[in-house]
Amino acid sequence: MYSISNRATLTLQLSWTPHSWIFSGETINLRCEIQRGRDNKWTYEWSPDNLNTPTAHSEYRIVSATEAHSGEYRCKGRRDSYSSTEWSDAIELTVSSNRPKAELRADDRDIPVGGSVTLTCSVNPSSAGWKYFWYRGEKTSEPLTTQLSAGPISVSHGGVYWCRGGRGEPVHYTEYSDPITINKNVHNKAVVTLRPNWSEIYRGERITLRCEIHGGGYNKWTYEWTKDNLNTPTTSNEYRIISATEAHSAEYRCKGRRDSYSSTRWSDVITLTVSSNRPKAELRADDRDIPVWGSVTLTCSVNPSSSGWKYFWYRGEKTSEPLTTQLSAGQIRVSEEGVYWCRGGRGEPVYYTEYSDPITINKKVHNKAVVTLRPNWSEIYRGERITLRCEIQGGGDNKWSYEWSPANLKTPTTHNEYRIISATEAHSAEYRCKGRRDSYSSTEWSDPIKLTVSDKPRPVLTVSPSWLSAGASVTLTCSVKDQSAGWRFYWYKTVPDPSNNSYSIELLPGNSSGTEQDSYIVHGQTHTAGYMCRAGRGDPVSYTDLSEPEFVWSADFHSSASLTVSPDRAQHFTSDSVSLSCEGNSTEWRLKRLTTDNRYLSDCTTWGTMTGSTCNIKTSWRSDAVYWCESGSGEFSNAVNITIQDKNMILLSPARPVTEGESVSLSCKLRSQTFGSTVFFYHNEKLIQNDSRWDLNISAVSKSDEGFYKCQHWRRESAQSWMSVQAVSRPESSSFPVPLIVGLVCGIVLVLLLLLLYRYRPSKDTCFNRPIQFESSNAEQNEAQCNEYSSPQHGDVCLYESVKHSEDTENGGSQDVTYSLLELKNIRKKGKQHTPEETSIYSNVGTGAADDNLLYAQVFTHDKDKGKKKKGKSAPAATDETVYSEVKAGSSLGL
């Protein structure tokens, strides 16, 4: 077989593309063309072979296509039996069994006044070669025009429009499109109105929607509405809703129609919202109490706010006839007491809201209510019992019931008292009351009384003095907030309990029921002690918290508990090692400290290391504090005031008391160098030494040397330290046989007194000066001497009798002095509960300065009732009368 150079080309009729859709029934022409061929004696072959087409023909014609014609078509030209062209490129035909349907679209369904709308026709699925045919009215009418493409047409007449496509020869038509109705708008305007024109509609209300045509002149309108389910005749311009439901909530529009294809535009939308809940009226009153000869204002409204309501007012029962109506949310004024209601209504027939909640209006009477508080304390504390009482003034009618505010008092309204058994912070409020005669008449509310309940106060205890002189009195003062409000004060002594690291308390004598005074005097305190106080008031008594413990310190030692310091001085450098030791009748000790700057109470475990009964202080930081020991048996030791300094200079002074008559040395010490110039020593801020010595030596210390000491060098100054001086105690009572002593001393005393009274003129006073030298006396020493023999708290009377000899110039001006001291102590009458005190006589006779030997005699003069017992008690042993006689030997007496 010989292939020639000519080329066969297969073409499809018109402008159809090789892959265009062919529809069942169409006529199709396939043509085979030979390129570069001048010889016209070609024969043709076709593929597929079953085309049944004469080979001498260059065209293949399908008169009415079916699905069987779908396939790939090719052709070639043949010159003779042995020479031909190549096969042409294939054309694929797809024949659809479905006739296509045209699709019609419009850019608007309403032709505006003086305008037009655009219609577009197309065939889907898309294929080539279509012409479009347009129809108005019926599909069988003549087409309006044709288009060779899917180009749009413009129309300015209302009506029903159709289109279809066609192609081929003879023409093969598509199915008709769905119709489109094009309306022509007239110049009139449609408006929807709502009657009644309420912003919100409630379930069950009757409303009417109305379509109005503006700019008319044409009266034969029909109407269309949207939404579509209105089921309203098109000839009616009203849509009536007899009983609204939520289903009627929608947007509503309307238009007017002159004929089938001319109408107004759609109106603007009106939105209708139907609420499922029936609204409830709200009733308010500007006051619930009608003042005497006055009235109150009632206001009724519907919420949420909407229009058209009338208001109906009721007094008593809701079923009674309404009092009056108002055309707005207006107010009415009432001057009659009772229960009031209201409700709203609107529409025809009237649609009513729910009734409002009732309001009870009271009518005031001229009586006045007053709240009083018992006890009338300005501030109440948690746990106290108080009573509020409501009193009606200007009355005469005793059948009152009562109301209280706040309303949660849970007090019967017939009761005029509100009792708070145990006050809490929840009771803090303003309390008012009023009296009620009947259901609707009452007094005005009383003026409020403000009740403020606070936490229990903690009193503050102060002690004076803080440091004791032996046997001195200690004054305790307890301060409480609101000091004058009915408090009684309770006083306690603290008892150490080292096992629990706490204190127990013991009530001080004579205050089991408390004291009205905020101070209490402890007589004869000799040792370190701790005190606490608290206050109480009311019935039953409500107590405050206990105060913090306060201490009164004594530097005096006693055998049961004592504190020693090593090294024994009051001031130390921060680098020093200091140890404190507890000694006495105990195996369990607690060493306490109270800082003087912030009054912080702590024990050794906080600021030191406790080993057995010794505490080693950590001196790495500065502190000023008082230290003392507390024993397991509940006793306090002496107290020591210790200063730990970070300065370069301290004063070395004894930490413990020094005994009167001892020698004492105070030293000024620098941390790292010695003095090279003047050192100043001060006693109670008074300069007493300024030279190069760094020691202050006192050969025989006396009570007058007691006080604060400090030293200075250049611009350095030590801290102050207190040096305590302990007086020498006088001899204790002898146990010699009483009869012998009584006889001897009484005789001596009587003889001496008679001699003295005879030789000298006495000079008496309440307490005479005891002469130390011939022409001078020291009042302070004499006063101390008086105090040494008598205790002021016992009410003793101290008498001194001083007698001077006449001057003896021949013996060099020497003068013998004789003095006598009489101390009379009052004896309580028999039967008193207080301990009777002694009656003592002291006689001290000095006859010269040369010999200071002293003789003492002690005589007990027994009371005649001594040894007898009172009923249930033993008679005190302190009722003896005692006589002391001190005789100072001298030549004038021949002793």
Side-chain angles (χ1 to χ4, degrees), residues 368-372 388-392 401-404 415-418 432-435 443 446:
K368 181 176 177 61
V370 177
V371 176
T372 58
L388 294 160
R389 184 178 182 86
C390 188
E391 299 175 352
I392 308 299
S401 60
Y402 300 87
E403 291 182 17
W404 292 87
H415 207 289
N416 70 332
E417 285 188 350
Y418 175 62
R432 298 185 302 167
C433 74
K434 65 179 177 181
T443 66
S446 68

Side-chain angles (χ1 to χ4, degrees), residues 737-748 858-862 881 883:
V738 172
L740 177 62
I741 299 299
V742 170
L744 176 62
V745 173
C746 285
I748 294 173
Q858 180 180 18
V859 180
F860 289 94
T861 303
H862 292 277
E881 295 182 359
V883 178

Side-chain angles (χ1 to χ4, degrees), residues 458-463 475-481 483 487-491 515 517-520 532-535 544-547:
R458 167 163 279 187
V460 176
L461 177 66
T462 57
V463 298
T475 300
L476 310 180
T477 303
C478 197
S479 299
V480 182
K481 183 181 178 182
Q483 189 86 358
W487 297 108
R488 294 186 70 84
F489 299 90
Y490 299 81
W491 312 90
T515 63
Q517 295 76 25
D518 61 354
S519 62
Y520 181 91
M532 300 173 79
C533 74
R534 66 175 173 176
T544 67
D545 293 331
L546 283 164
S547 69

Side-chain angles (χ1 to χ4, degrees), residues 492-496 503-506 529-532 549-551 630 634 636:
Y492 303 89
K493 185 175 182 178
T494 61
V495 179
Y503 292 102
S504 59
I505 57 174
E506 293 179 357
Y531 298 96
M532 300 173 79
E550 287 294 328
F551 300 90
E630 295 174 355
F636 290 91

Side-chain angles (χ1 to χ4, degrees), residues 143 662 769:
E662 290 181 352
N769 292 335

